[in-house]
Amino acid sequence: GLVQVAHASSTVGVTYLTSDGESFEVKPGEELNQAVVFKEPMLRWALPNGTDDEGPSDLFYLLLLLDPDAPQPYVKKEGNAVRHWAVSNIPSESLEHGEFGIERGWADNLYFAPRPPKGTGPHRYIFKLYEQPKANLFFGLPIDHV
């Protein structure tokens, strides 16, 4: 199975390129508009304690971007989340320097820019990183739930 490697206390740096080509680094809890999040971001991970550049180089990772605040009918049942992005087979060397983008893995579902339905208020968007048990896993995830 998958092993979650980025815990709730992990630091994740998220940078979007705006439509005018400027870099926009997201601060925790910051509200973003659709003009900023239209394209997939670059990510920087502070890896968990005990993980460093000397670790195994044959590890691969799965990244998920989730919206846990999506209301029904966007999720089939309460407690589920809408998946906005899934990238598998991210090689460990992409994480060695803490930065990677979509070109380093396989998009199991393409980036779906966050845009909460009108009247649902602000939504939280959560990035999760999992260590895969082996390389070349293709999850074929259905788009309507996680």
Side-chain angles (χ1 to χ4, degrees):
L2 298 172
V3 176
Q4 187 167 349
V5 294
H7 304 283
S9 62
S10 294
T11 301
V12 178
V14 179
T15 303
Y16 284 95
L17 284 179
T18 63
S19 56
D20 60 3
E22 296 291 318
S23 290
F24 182 84
E25 188 160 346
V26 178
K27 295 170 186 70
E30 185 170 19
E31 287 191 35
L32 304 175
N33 65 46
Q34 291 177 4
V36 172
V37 300
F38 74 98
K39 188 174 184 312
E40 67 269 358
M42 292 296 293
L43 303 172
R44 289 180 315 282
W45 292 93
L47 296 174
N49 289 340
T51 305
D52 59 27
D53 291 347
E54 302 301 317
S57 62
D58 59 348
L59 296 177
F60 289 83
Y61 297 89
L62 166 70
L63 167 78
L64 297 175
L65 171 58
L66 306 171
D67 174 2
D69 299 317
Q72 291 179 346
Y74 301 98
V75 293
K76 292 196 182 262
K77 62 183 178 180
E78 196 159 330
N80 281 4
V82 168
R83 187 181 54 255
H84 283 265
W85 201 20
V87 183
S88 62
N89 301 298
I90 301 167
S92 60
E93 64 265 16
S94 295
L95 297 177
E96 286 178 2
H97 301 291
E99 191 163 325
F100 66 92
I102 187 73
E103 68 279 353
R104 293 306 313 249
W106 173 263
D108 288 287
N109 82 256
L110 296 177
Y111 179 77
F112 172 60
R115 47 179 183 260
K118 193 172 190 141
T120 62
H123 287 216
R124 297 167 292 155
Y125 293 90
I126 299 169
F127 290 94
K128 290 190 171 201
L129 185 67
Y130 296 90
E131 182 182 308
Q132 296 176 193
K134 62 181 184 172
N136 298 319
L137 292 180
F138 299 99
F139 293 92
L141 302 168
I143 196 146
D144 62 347
H145 71 284
V146 284

